[in-house]
Amino acid sequence: MKRICLFAGYDNKNIIHDYVVYYLKELSTIADVYYMADNEISEHEKAKITPYVKGAYGFNHKKYDFGSWQELIKIIGWKKLSEYDELILANDSVFGPLYPMKKLFEKLEQDRQWDICGITEECSIEKTSKTYIVNNFIQSYFIIMKKNIFTQDYIKQFFKEYSYYPSKADVVLHGEKKLSKILIENDVVIKKVIEKLYDPFKEWKSILKSGSPFIKKSKFTNKEYNRKYETLYKYEDIVAKYNTYDIYLIDRYLSSCNISKNNFNNITYAVVTIIENLKHLRKKLFTLNIKPYRKEIVIFGITIVKKDYKQSKFKTINK
């Protein structure tokens, strides 16, 4: 199997961090890797990843991840891309892989009944003047496309038309959501690694236990996320329990962001963790949630009514 990986990076200090170097090293065991940063990178920084990539580039194109993939496609060309059996789109928004990439792809090889495979699926609800629109899409931090799909004209057109968008919300709308919409409209078989609709920005333990090779970086750097249910209290023990990942790769990155690992291991954070767990327990025992797109009533742990428009749409590999 011949694979190519287009990897999107970004750092506001123009650094390629150790966790990214490790990720690229692992990717190089299963694919030819090309790196593009949405920032300038020096020759010194490029030298860190030279052993693991076929090409490394960086400039301020300001088009986020999809823009980096678009720029790499311009450099490599569709003719060269078509020589590969699978195309991997990846970025540096995650820590990992928590276990060897070869192990993940051995699992994927056991189920070949897919055209596109991602790690997690997201479902969003959009309100219109008359109703609610449900959008299911594969999250783009790691996507694999087979040759019969990434060589299609509609994929080429998608990347050709992709442009600058001012916010991350627009990037999700015109990137992740639009790509999945195009794939669904063309009857592409989409699968994922994680079965349930877990939120990787918050429910990191659940997706880790379900076999995810990644933890979202924002879980550590965004206070809204790291203080929500499934907090990061004693995170190093949990990561070590399920994986062989070098926890110091996370710690070194946090240190570069002036975030101490003690923020997640002190008494104050332990209290936050207890409160969040109690809130979650209360929701399991008693819930009254009546919305146009979701109706749920739970009393003493017994579900009386449950109707939720947010449902998984894509099948899971090996399921």
Side-chain angles (χ1 to χ4, degrees):
M1 183 69 66
K2 190 177 179 183
R3 303 184 184 94
I4 185 170
C5 175
L6 307 185
F7 192 95
Y10 171 75
D11 184 76
N12 59 7
K13 298 176 183 177
N14 300 338
I15 296 172
I16 301 177
H17 292 276
D18 290 343
Y19 83 91
V20 177
V21 176
Y22 175 76
Y23 189 2
L24 294 170
K25 180 181 178 181
E26 274 296 309
L27 283 168
S28 71
T29 65
I30 51 90
D32 290 341
V33 184
Y34 290 81
Y35 175 93
M36 171 66 76
D38 189 3
N39 55 264
E40 302 291 335
I41 52 172
S42 67
E43 292 302 317
H44 172 73
E45 292 300 311
K46 285 183 183 180
K48 295 179 181 179
I49 62 174
T50 298
Y52 314 119
V53 301
K54 299 295 183 181
Y57 316 90
F59 67 98
N60 294 300
H61 56 72
K62 298 181 180 180
K63 292 183 290 184
Y64 294 88
D65 299 335
F66 281 92
S68 284
W69 297 327
Q70 179 191 59
E71 293 299 328
L72 282 173
I73 289 170
K74 290 179 183 178
I75 293 169
I76 299 166
W78 286 109
K79 183 178 180 181
K80 178 70 174 177
L81 283 169
S82 66
E83 296 175 6
Y84 292 87
D85 302 305
E86 290 179 354
L87 167 65
I88 302 168
L89 302 177
N91 66 35
D92 64 356
S93 69
V94 293
F95 293 121
L98 304 177
Y99 52 83
M101 293 271 26
K102 285 184 178 180
K103 185 177 178 181
L104 171 64
F105 278 82
E106 284 172 4
K107 183 177 181 180
L108 296 177
E109 284 295 322
Q110 295 173 13
D111 181 353
R112 300 300 298 167
Q113 303 305 309
W114 52 268
D115 298 312
I116 303 286
C117 187
I119 304 297
T120 47
E121 170 188 6
E122 187 169 349
C123 181
S124 66
I125 306 292
E126 295 178 13
K127 185 179 180 181
T128 67
S129 58
K130 296 182 179 180
T131 185
Y132 289 87
I133 299 174
V134 182
N135 289 305
N136 289 71
F137 56 96
I138 289 292
Q139 293 182 299
S140 62
Y141 59 89
F142 193 88
I143 296 176
I144 312 159
M145 296 186 182
K146 289 184 179 177
K147 182 176 181 176
N148 63 305
I149 301 303
F150 72 76
T151 55
Q152 293 289 334
D153 288 340
Y154 55 79
I155 295 294
K156 294 178 182 179
Q157 191 67 22
F158 167 78
F159 279 106
K160 181 181 179 180
E161 293 177 350
Y162 188 79
S163 183
Y164 163 77
Y165 298 102
S167 71
K168 287 189 177 180
D170 288 327
V171 173
V172 172
L173 177 62
H174 297 282
E176 284 183 318
K177 290 183 180 180
K178 184 176 179 179
L179 178 59
S180 284
K181 184 174 183 291
I182 290 170
L183 295 170
I184 291 168
E185 288 173 348
N186 284 278
D187 297 319
V188 173
V189 179
I190 303 172
K191 287 193 176 182
K192 56 184 180 172
V193 174
I194 305 303
E195 183 175 9
K196 295 184 179 179
L197 279 176
Y198 289 127
D199 183 346
F201 294 97
K202 298 174 184 177
E203 298 169 290
W204 73 282
K205 295 179 189 177
S206 293
I207 69 166
L208 186 152
K209 293 175 184 177
S210 299
S212 174
F214 303 113
I215 302 174
K216 268 291 184 179
K217 189 172 66 177
S218 297
K219 180 66 181 179
F220 292 82
T221 59
N222 186 310
K223 287 185 178 180
E224 178 189 352
Y225 296 150
N226 64 46
R227 298 180 77 86
K228 291 291 185 180
Y229 176 64
E230 293 199 1
T231 68
L232 292 164
Y233 185 64
K234 301 290 186 182
Y235 66 86
E236 61 269 48
D237 295 337
I238 297 167
V239 172
K241 182 178 180 181
Y242 292 95
N243 306 279
T244 57
Y245 188 68
D246 183 358
I247 200 69
Y248 293 107
L249 293 172
I250 297 176
D251 296 342
R252 283 197 288 272
Y253 178 75
L254 295 181
S255 179
S256 74
C257 299
N258 296 317
I259 300 172
S260 171
K261 67 182 297 181
N262 293 327
N263 291 357
F264 309 119
N265 293 330
N266 58 36
I267 296 299
T268 302
Y269 196 70
V271 172
V272 170
T273 300
I274 292 169
I275 292 172
E276 287 298 315
N277 286 335
L278 288 174
K279 286 180 180 178
H280 184 69
L281 177 61
R282 190 266 303 166
K283 287 180 181 179
K284 280 193 168 184
L285 293 175
F286 300 98
T287 299
L288 177 60
N289 193 340
I290 306 296
K291 295 179 180 178
Y293 56 86
R294 184 179 183 185
K295 295 177 175 64
E296 185 176 16
I297 301 174
V298 179
I299 301 176
F300 294 113
I302 300 173
T303 301
I304 308 301
V305 176
K306 185 169 185 179
K307 184 178 181 181
D308 194 347
Y309 283 81
K310 284 191 173 184
Q311 299 291 336
S312 179
K313 180 169 187 161
F314 309 128
K315 292 182 179 180
T316 312
I317 59 168
N318 298 319
K319 293 290 182 180

